[in-house]
Amino acid sequence: MSLQGEIGTFVSAVLQYFDTAVQQAAVVGTPYLALGKPPEVFDYTGMIRVSGKRKGVVYFTAPKGMLSVMLMRMQETDMSDANLRDLVGEVANTLSGNARKDFGRNFIISTPSVVTGSSSTIGYSPDTRPIVVPIDWRTYHANLVVCLN
Amino acid sequence: MKRRRNSFDLSQLLPVVVATSFAAVLTLLLTLGIQRAAQLQAASSALQLASELRSLPQYFGTELTLAQRGLEARTFVGEPLADIATAREGFDKALVRIDADLEAAGLGESADIQRVRGALDAAWQRFVPLLGALGRHKGSPYADTLAGSRLNATGRALKADVDEALTAQAAANRDVGGALKDLAAGLQDTVGDRGRSLRTFLVIGAAVAALLLALMLYFSLRSRRASADARRAERQVADILGTVREGLFLLDRNLSLGGVHSASLTRILHADIVHGSSFEDLLRPLVPAKTLATAMKFVNLLWKEKVHEDLIDTVNPLSQIEARFTRAGGGVETRHLSFAFRRVKSAAGQGEHLLGIVTDVTDRVQISHELEQAKAENQAQLDLVLQLLRVPAAQLQSFVRDSDMALRKSNAVLKQPGREEGELRAKLNGVFREVHTVKGEAAALALTSIAARVHQLEESLVALRERASIDGNDFIPVVVKLDELMSYLGGIGQFADRLSEVQPKGDTLKSVIPPLLADQVMGAADHSLEQLLAQVVQETAAAHSKRVALACRGLEAIPASYRKAAKDVLIHMARNAVVHGIETPDRRLAASKPETAAVRISFEAVGNEGFVLTVEDDGQGLPFEKILDTALRKGLVTPADAARLERPAVYGLIFRAGFSTATEVTEHAGRGVGLDAVSQTVRGLGGAIGIATADGKFTRFRMKLPTPAGERAATHAA
């Protein structure tokens, strides 16, 4: 599968999550390359690491406000840090599940992990240019970042 | 082969043949047995009757004596006479029954029996008239007188007949009794024979039945063993079909699917396989209609015995197909499948089925593509190195910097927040302009490998532009190709940096590269803008079989701050002039024009107002009607607007994004991006473009540019 197809899989995973779990569609913005400086990281970030045919990291990063409203849509009343972490972890889990299903044995997908804080740094190879896919939902803005070489 | 087939058939039929034969024999035995039993029964009946009749002559004697004495004593003799008549009738009937029994016992033709029977009949016939005569006398035999009763005439006649019968009775007793005795003895022997015969039949029948039972048990056991073998074989076939990775299936002459197939088939084809369903229907979602039609013809050919299946395998249209499947979780998955077909023949060599084998060869195809790609990349790398060595390092570094800037601008356009359809299309055009500039400069420097790469990115952009609607997701291929292009140019930048370290300034490459390679880089020289444009013009003209002479004037006076923009603009304009403006030599000669066309480029200051950059060709002029038609077809103007538009406004349409009158897209023209980029660049500098054209004579673009801000300040200061 080409990088283009792999990004498509990750984007589909995120959109599918909004469609099924949140039950309100998200919109994809025009993807771009993060040049010069690392892509923006929001309050909560769920990520998976990929090795095998390609190496790198894929993460979904979203602001707290967006995740809180997502929880409300899902009939959740608990807006604690743990629950927000769980939510962004679930999105990462969806990324992982779809990647395992579509990419086959040539890829090794790590278990999802979650980092918090907008000042977090996500480690990735300096040789790669992360591809940022803006995900817009209601008035909120999140990013899906694919950084694979 | 034929013998083997017969042997096979016999072994299959043997239990049936044996069972049928034994059943027939048993039936015959039973039939004969039943017949013998009936004969035995009839003979026994006859024997019993004969035995019973033996006492009758004695009985007649007794009754006759009673009648004689009664007559003598003048008593009532009606009773003995009636008994004699009844016994006589009984005897006759018994004889008839004996005859019937003898016939039934199969003794109707027996000489001994018939002889005895004849003797009996003769003896009886001698005696029976005497008995019959007794019944002739009617009325009382006595006449009453005072002296007592005495025989009357009837009595006397009766007395005479009784006496005569009694006299004959002794002989009858001997003859009839003897005959009956002989008959009974004969029948006794017959009953014994028939009994033994019946026993023999029954013994043979029991033996045959036992043998038949034994054989049936044997065949049953053999059949159970065969069934167990068949079940074992069936399990093994099921194991094979469940394990094999290939999709295996059978087709009959109607090209309907058989009931047995490998488990992988469902997985490979992402379809439920229904017994008896059409192979064509199964294939329809996987291949285009044309391929489907060819495939069905091909598969039908395999049924023709004269067709060599190995030979026509080379024209199998299904040997490798690209199939798209919808994933369960959404999205489309592309897989490469390979179908092969083999004839399945019967033992007699007749084609009964086609075995279809479908394999998912996606991994193999991908590896093959990767190998081809690697080979092509190696070749491309070599070509690229040769192309790069033709360009001075400084110029190469400049190109890489400019290109990197253009690609970063493209990325910045993508990063802008617009999400609406119009905004996305504006982004698309923005990216198009930037990458088209990169391609233009790469082509101008004869860096065809780079130009081809950019062309691929443009292909993605064109594909998007031609869609009815687009969204952010559709830009993923664009950003991936942009990333690849940046990496590619990054590598070239590193090469240029290394080259600049080894290349003496102002010298050609010939002194620093091996002699063999030097031959290939003979054209390497310092590329001034004029030389660059000359190269663009000559290469474009050669690609379009045209002859063009370029004349440049004043380009060295272009202010430094305009050089990059002027270069981008002039590359587009020069190429555009050759592709669209200049006619082919034949057409020029036919129009009484010189075979070699002229393109003139000039840059001149216009007092303190700024500068004029002019690009002029002596070609066919702008095709007014064609421009208007194209604009109408592309929906850039409405028919109502078209009727009102003045000529200058129509000519202005050629600067619109996506406008091109070219019927074919090449690396030099056809995208409708060049003049849009020119217009954007000139306007970006605060300038304006004017067009003058005469049909069949010339086209002139005059680009008025303001004096750069820095130079204006310097002029004022002076």
Side-chain angles (χ1 to χ4, degrees):
Chain A
M1 187 181 276
S2 64
L3 178 60
Q4 178 187 322
E6 288 149 14
I7 296 171
T9 293
F10 292 124
V11 172
S12 297
V14 173
L15 294 182
Q16 182 193 338
Y17 187 84
F18 275 92
D19 282 347
T20 55
V22 187
Q23 299 202 328
Q24 191 171 37
V27 177
V28 177
T30 43
Y32 59 89
L33 300 169
L35 301 175
K37 60 177 183 177
E40 191 176 4
V41 175
F42 297 114
D43 302 324
Y44 291 86
T45 301
M47 73 168 115
I48 56 170
R49 290 198 176 274
V50 178
S51 55
K53 187 181 170 187
R54 290 191 201 280
K55 287 185 177 61
V57 61
V58 179
Y59 59 90
F60 173 77
T61 181
K64 183 177 180 181
M66 179 179 183
L67 296 171
S68 302
V69 179
M70 284 169 72
L71 282 177
M72 286 177 206
R73 286 276 312 171
M74 296 158 81
Q75 313 296 322
E76 286 275 349
T77 52
D78 179 5
M79 303 293 159
S80 66
D81 177 66
N83 226 17
L84 293 169
R85 286 174 66 95
D86 281 354
L87 177 60
V88 85
E90 255 188 58
V91 178
N93 206 30
T94 308
L95 291 174
S96 167
N98 279 35
R100 280 177 215 276
K101 189 176 69 181
D102 287 4
F103 298 168
R105 58 183 182 277
N106 293 330
F107 284 79
I108 301 161
I109 315 289
S110 75
T111 49
S113 59
V114 173
V115 293
T116 55
S118 56
S119 59
S120 304
T121 51
I122 311 291
Y124 55 83
S125 166
D127 299 337
T128 54
R129 278 176 288 273
I131 293 174
V132 182
V133 184
I135 306 289
D136 293 339
W137 181 71
R138 296 165 76 106
T139 58
Y140 298 100
H141 176 74
N143 280 340
L144 170 70
V145 180
V146 180
C147 187
L148 299 173
N149 64 7
Chain B
M1 187 65 93
K2 196 173 177 182
R3 214 160 105 195
R4 193 175 151 196
R5 189 188 173 205
N6 288 342
S7 155
F8 170 77
D9 289 343
L10 270 182
S11 71
Q12 292 283 355
L13 288 174
L14 188 61
V16 179
V17 169
V18 169
T20 308
S21 304
F22 272 86
V25 170
L26 197 57
T27 305
L28 181 64
L29 287 171
L30 285 173
T31 307
L32 290 172
I34 289 166
Q35 191 184 0
R36 286 288 187 277
Q39 287 178 341
L40 179 62
Q41 188 184 12
S44 297
S45 173
L47 175 60
Q48 189 180 353
L49 283 171
S51 301
E52 285 171 4
L53 289 179
R54 283 182 64 186
S55 60
L56 270 185
Q58 195 68 40
Y59 177 76
F60 285 126
T62 304
E63 292 301 320
L64 284 169
T65 304
L66 285 173
Q68 186 184 50
R69 288 184 183 166
L71 287 170
E72 285 169 0
R74 310 296 185 261
T75 58
F76 179 70
V77 295
E79 191 175 351
L81 290 175
D83 288 344
I84 288 167
T86 305
R88 181 177 58 81
E89 284 176 17
F91 199 99
D92 284 338
K93 286 178 183 173
L95 286 178
V96 171
R97 282 176 57 196
I98 284 172
D99 286 342
D101 285 343
L102 288 175
E103 197 65 38
L107 298 170
E109 305 296 326
S110 169
D112 290 344
I113 295 296
Q114 288 307 317
R115 182 180 53 75
V116 175
R117 176 69 184 86
L120 172 62
D121 215 27
W124 177 248
Q125 288 307 320
R126 281 196 300 274
F127 184 54
V128 75
L130 299 175
L131 296 177
L134 300 179
R136 289 198 312 257
H137 307 286
K138 307 294 179 192
S140 174
Y142 304 117
D144 292 332
T145 65
L146 291 174
S149 292
R150 58 182 177 85
L151 290 173
N152 59 13
T154 301
R156 285 191 293 281
L158 176 62
K159 176 76 170 53
D161 286 343
V162 168
D163 291 343
E164 187 182 6
L166 195 56
T167 306
Q169 185 272 332
N173 191 27
R174 185 189 65 242
D175 295 343
V176 171
L180 283 170
K181 186 182 171 189
D182 291 345
L183 181 61
L187 287 171
Q188 188 72 46
D189 292 344
T190 302
V191 166
D193 289 345
R194 292 287 189 271
R196 278 189 295 279
S197 172
L198 179 60
R199 195 162 49 247
T200 304
F201 277 119
L202 288 176
V203 168
I204 294 170
V208 169
L211 195 56
L212 179 60
L213 182 65
L215 278 170
M216 293 315 289
L217 278 172
Y218 166 72
F219 286 128
S220 171
L221 282 173
R222 207 175 75 161
S223 169
R224 283 186 63 184
R225 203 174 300 131
S227 297
D229 289 345
R231 279 198 300 278
R232 199 177 304 117
E234 200 175 315
R235 268 201 309 276
Q236 287 170 355
V237 169
D239 288 346
I240 291 169
L241 291 176
T243 310
V244 69
R245 287 188 177 179
E246 289 81 8
L248 305 179
F249 58 95
L250 289 172
L251 293 178
D252 63 16
R253 282 186 182 274
N254 298 322
L255 302 189
S256 298
L257 291 159
V260 179
H261 59 81
S262 66
S264 299
L265 185 65
T266 310
R267 180 181 52 77
I268 292 173
L269 298 183
H270 293 65
D272 292 329
I273 310 300
V274 180
H275 179 205
S277 60
S278 154
F279 178 57
E280 190 173 1
D281 290 344
L282 183 70
L283 213 54
R284 187 167 286 115
L286 305 179
V287 293
K290 198 173 172 187
T291 309
L292 179 65
T294 316
M296 297 318 289
K297 280 182 192 165
F298 169 78
V299 178
N300 275 315
L301 268 181
L302 288 166
W303 286 108
K304 296 187 176 170
E305 287 295 327
K306 287 181 183 173
V307 175
H308 197 292
E309 58 186 342
D310 288 335
L311 286 180
I312 66 160
D313 200 37
T314 53
V315 294
N316 177 3
L318 301 175
S319 61
Q320 190 174 306
I321 61 168
E322 189 178 287
R324 288 164 178 268
F325 300 107
T326 305
R327 289 198 194 103
V332 173
E333 183 181 10
T334 302
R335 307 295 297 176
H336 294 272
L337 306 180
S338 170
F339 283 79
F341 300 91
R342 307 295 300 173
R343 289 190 187 116
V344 181
K345 292 185 176 177
S346 67
Q350 298 294 316
E352 290 186 344
H353 287 99
L354 288 181
L355 171 66
I357 306 159
V358 54
T359 317
D360 188 330
V361 293
T362 307
D363 289 347
R364 195 176 73 198
V365 170
Q366 275 177 355
I367 290 169
S368 171
H369 282 174
E370 282 167 12
L371 280 174
E372 281 173 18
Q373 208 174 338
K375 206 187 286 180
E377 276 175 8
N378 284 340
Q379 185 60 45
Q381 289 278 358
L382 186 61
D383 292 345
L384 178 64
V385 168
L386 291 175
Q387 289 165 18
L388 294 176
L389 288 174
R390 287 173 178 270
V391 182
Q395 200 157 5
L396 198 55
Q397 285 172 314
S398 168
F399 163 72
V400 171
R401 273 194 306 275
D402 291 348
S403 299
D404 185 61
M405 186 60 71
L407 297 183
R408 283 175 185 275
K409 278 186 188 174
S410 298
N411 191 55
V413 168
L414 289 175
K415 197 174 175 181
Q416 285 165 10
R419 302 281 186 271
E420 301 301 322
E421 178 85 22
E423 293 170 322
L424 293 177
R425 290 200 179 273
K427 285 186 184 186
L428 192 59
N429 289 331
V431 173
F432 221 143
R433 278 193 295 274
E434 296 299 336
V435 297
H436 197 68
T437 305
V438 174
K439 189 174 85 169
E441 192 167 349
L445 292 171
L447 299 172
T448 51
S449 299
I450 300 173
R453 287 253 179 174
V454 184
H455 193 71
Q456 285 176 8
L457 174 54
E458 283 191 344
E459 295 283 354
S460 302
L461 296 169
V462 168
L464 269 188
R465 197 162 66 181
E466 288 173 353
R467 286 199 189 176
S469 68
I470 51 174
D471 60 28
N473 221 352
D474 297 327
F475 281 80
I476 290 174
V478 175
V479 79
V480 168
K481 285 196 169 64
L482 192 64
D483 181 37
E484 288 169 357
L485 196 55
M486 289 187 89
S487 298
Y488 188 66
L489 286 171
I492 292 170
Q494 287 175 0
F495 181 86
D497 292 344
R498 298 285 299 275
L499 196 61
S500 70
E501 290 170 9
V502 297
Q503 190 180 56
K505 284 186 179 174
D507 202 352
T508 65
L509 291 171
K510 290 177 196 172
S511 58
V512 292
I513 56 176
L516 187 63
L517 197 56
D519 292 341
Q520 299 187 44
V521 294
M522 283 290 283
D526 184 27
H527 284 60
S528 66
L529 179 56
E530 191 174 331
Q531 286 172 318
L532 184 66
L533 292 172
Q535 192 169 343
V536 169
V537 167
Q538 291 313 320
E539 285 190 358
T540 312
H544 290 79
S545 305
K546 295 177 181 178
R547 291 184 185 172
V548 185
L550 173 71
C552 295
R553 184 166 52 83
L555 300 188
E556 65 284 353
I558 295 173
S561 57
Y562 280 175
R563 273 180 204 153
K564 169 72 174 72
K567 184 176 71 176
D568 293 344
V569 165
L570 289 176
I571 286 170
H572 285 309
M573 298 297 286
R575 185 183 292 116
N576 223 46
V578 176
V579 175
H580 296 294
I582 303 300
E583 312 92 327
T584 57
D586 291 348
R587 287 186 59 191
R588 288 183 67 84
L589 287 174
S592 302
K593 292 164 89 172
E595 196 176 8
T596 301
V599 173
R600 288 179 286 276
I601 298 176
S602 63
F603 181 84
E604 55 192 345
V606 187
N608 291 329
E609 293 173 12
F611 307 95
V612 172
L613 185 59
T614 307
V615 178
E616 180 178 354
D617 67 73
D618 67 344
Q620 58 195 344
L622 289 179
F624 176 82
E625 296 295 338
K626 197 172 177 183
I627 292 169
L628 202 52
D629 287 348
T630 306
L632 280 166
R633 199 174 62 250
K634 289 182 177 285
L636 299 177
V637 293
T638 64
D641 289 341
R644 286 197 299 271
L645 282 177
E646 299 286 340
R647 277 191 174 256
V650 171
Y651 294 143
L653 291 171
I654 63 176
F655 294 106
R656 300 278 288 271
F659 185 91
S660 175
T661 55
T663 51
E664 190 182 350
V665 175
T666 66
E667 286 193 16
H668 298 104
R671 297 283 192 222
V673 178
L675 287 178
D676 172 35
V678 166
S679 169
Q680 292 283 335
T681 305
V682 171
R683 280 193 291 164
L685 296 174
I689 305 177
I691 302 173
T693 182
D695 194 26
K697 291 181 179 173
F698 75 95
T699 302
R700 185 189 307 124
F701 292 90
R702 280 169 58 87
M703 288 158 276
K704 290 183 182 174
L705 300 172
T707 306
E711 291 195 14
R712 269 205 303 273
T715 307
H716 288 307

